[in-house]
Amino acid sequence: AQSVTQPDIHITVSEGASLELRCNYSYGATPYLFWYVQSPGQGLQLLLKYFSGDTLVQGIKGFEAEFKRSQSSFNLRKPSVHWSDAAEYFCAVGARLTGGGNKLTFGTGTQLKVEL
Amino acid sequence: KAGVTQTPRYLIKTRGQQVTLSCSPISGHRSVSWYQQTPGQGLQFLFEYFSETQRNKGNFPGRFSGRQFSNSRSEMNVSTLELGDSALYLCASSTSKETQYFGPGTRLLVL
């Protein structure tokens, strides 16, 4: 069965500093990988996704992530954090199901705090 | 295009009652998935519907059920509510591709 580990529960960075959120996955085949962001009381917004091809993917709001198969990782990065980036970030792996369709397995999330 | 919408946004129920939540997917999306989010268990997959059929199901008791209509709108129902059912219920829609787009969720509080 697939699984996702986000080792950092909380991260605090200063505004303008760089950010890296870690994500490790376990999946038997080529994974579909996603990063979502959730603001308090809101749903999940898709930041970026990896299906295949270029291992460095660009997303919205200046985020990027790099897929490293050898390390089973899909870390999220941003060169300069803005105060509005404070939120909870979820990494997810998508598994194709035998009946068709797919389901997402999420990590436990990383809560990002931005200090002004 | 309008995003995924969920109604109601907030609900308060008492133990033993039942509840129905509604989800309208993005226009053209035929797959609707439901997830439960709680502080203790995180985000967990409930089930997925495609073309009015439940295609996949997570590991939840039979009190949790759903359906999908011909216009792809979906409802989920929870019967005999328990305190532990208090959660944010998220609906996501997708096309035949794998990317799921989420709605704002329905926050259910069971007293």
Side-chain angles (χ1 to χ4, degrees):
Chain A
Q2 64 275 7
S3 66
V4 176
T5 301
Q6 292 181 249
D8 303 307
I9 298 174
H10 296 98
I11 282 185
T12 300
V13 299
S14 299
E15 189 176 35
S18 64
L19 171 71
E20 182 169 28
L21 302 182
R22 296 183 290 165
C23 172
N24 292 95
Y25 68 90
S26 173
Y27 187 61
T30 301
Y32 302 124
L33 295 163
F34 307 84
W35 275 99
Y36 288 87
V37 61
Q38 185 178 37
S39 297
Q42 301 300 314
L44 301 173
Q45 181 182 22
L46 178 68
L47 285 176
L48 48 77
K49 60 191 177 186
Y50 171 79
F51 288 167
S52 64
D54 193 348
T55 56
L56 184 64
V57 293
Q58 303 296 320
I60 62 171
K61 304 184 180 188
F63 285 93
E64 66 178 26
E66 186 171 13
F67 170 62
K68 292 185 177 180
R69 184 187 300 275
S70 61
Q71 299 177 20
S72 297
S73 69
F74 188 56
N75 294 348
L76 182 71
R77 300 194 294 247
K78 186 169 185 178
S80 178
V81 169
H82 188 262
W83 65 266
S84 60
D85 293 325
E88 191 157 22
Y89 291 79
F90 292 93
C91 180
V93 61
R96 292 299 298 266
L97 301 172
T98 54
N102 71 95
K103 76 167 193 177
L104 296 177
T105 297
F106 289 87
T108 50
T110 297
Q111 186 71 47
L112 173 64
K113 180 180 175 182
V114 180
E115 290 182 332
L116 301 175
Chain B
K1 246 185 205 180
V4 178
T5 58
Q6 292 186 243
T7 56
R9 292 293 310 277
Y10 304 93
L11 268 177
I12 301 176
K13 293 286 187 178
T14 56
R15 279 182 298 173
Q17 288 186 310
Q18 75 164 12
V19 67
T20 299
L21 313 182
S22 180
C23 171
S24 293
I26 293 170
S27 177
H29 287 195
R30 296 171 63 191
S31 171
V32 173
S33 298
W34 289 88
Y35 293 82
Q36 181 196 64
Q37 185 178 25
T38 60
Q41 299 299 316
L43 283 150
Q44 294 185 287
F45 173 74
L46 279 157
F47 30 65
E48 184 226 0
Y49 284 85
F50 180 82
S51 291
E52 303 179 63
T53 301
Q54 185 182 88
R55 189 161 61 172
N56 296 291
K57 190 176 187 329
N59 189 26
F60 278 81
R63 299 185 298 106
F64 291 82
S65 63
R67 60 177 175 169
Q68 188 180 34
F69 301 94
S70 58
N71 62 357
S72 295
R73 190 176 69 85
S74 176
E75 290 181 345
M76 69 163 280
N77 183 277
V78 187
S79 63
T80 319
L81 283 165
E82 301 176 359
L83 295 179
D85 297 333
S86 295
L88 181 66
Y89 290 89
L90 292 164
C91 164
S93 75
S94 63
T95 63
S96 56
K97 303 292 185 183
E98 286 70 23
T99 304
Q100 296 186 22
Y101 297 91
F102 285 81
T106 294
R107 185 163 297 280
L108 172 64
L109 177 62
V110 182
L111 301 176

